[in-house]
Amino acid sequence: MELNSQSYQRFILIKPTYSNSSTKILKGGTMKFIFLLMVALMSETNQTQADEESTQQHYEKAIFAGGCFWCMEKPFDDLDGVINTTSGYTGGEKVNPTYEEVSSGSTGHAEAIEVQYDPKKVSYKTLLEVFWKNIDPTVKNRQFCDVGTQYRSGIYYLSDEQKELALASKKEVQKSKHIEQIYTEILPASKFYPAEDYHQDYYKKNPIRYHYYRFRCGRDKRLKNLWG
């Protein structure tokens, strides 16, 4: 079929219109698919975050002081149900104390650990049992070879239930081991300050130095004499 000038002009006008319409439909469909995909991914991410937050809401914390915090992390890390342990400082007045300040004994803080745990897997009572077996409660303001208020032992409760369990465990230890005087303080928790990064998981990062320190300090020998 021959196209006259008028038909030709109509043809070139119509064809682009048809082509652009198809392109618009294609682009529109693609954009809609991408949008729906993004919505689905965002929904999945939000749900994952919500699940994690919901799980974390069921975690609880406990704070203990037992002398050198390097030596207090591992016994709790070995427990099924313990999520994390953090070395730090508590019980003092200075805000954001450094290790040098705390170790000098001038801030009133004690070296301590914060234990995050799942109460569905491990109870606070079990944490207390592990705590007592890793300290010497018969001495005041010291633990093994470390001397000073910064090395005192203590249980710092975060709820009335923790307080009751801590006091009951102290009585049980005193009775079962025939200990006349227990110097481990049981007080409401105050602000806990995480220690510097190089102190965290020290027993993993520096196993040789860690084991040498425990041996030199006589920690394991004294614990065996106390608890068997």
Side-chain angles (χ1 to χ4, degrees), residues 75-112:
F76 291 98
D77 282 341
D78 288 342
L79 288 177
D80 182 32
V82 168
I83 309 303
N84 183 53
T85 57
T86 303
S87 288
Y89 319 110
T90 195
E93 298 179 356
K94 190 177 188 305
V95 177
N96 295 320
T98 65
Y99 176 70
E100 287 73 19
E101 291 170 334
V102 173
S103 61
S104 72
S106 62
T107 68
H109 292 87
E111 287 194 14

Side-chain angles (χ1 to χ4, degrees), residues 203-219:
Y203 73 95
K204 295 179 181 178
K205 298 174 182 175
N206 302 279
I208 296 177
R209 291 183 179 180
Y210 167 73
H211 286 293
Y212 176 72
Y213 165 77
R214 287 189 68 108
F215 173 77
R216 181 181 62 82
C217 209
R219 192 176 187 108

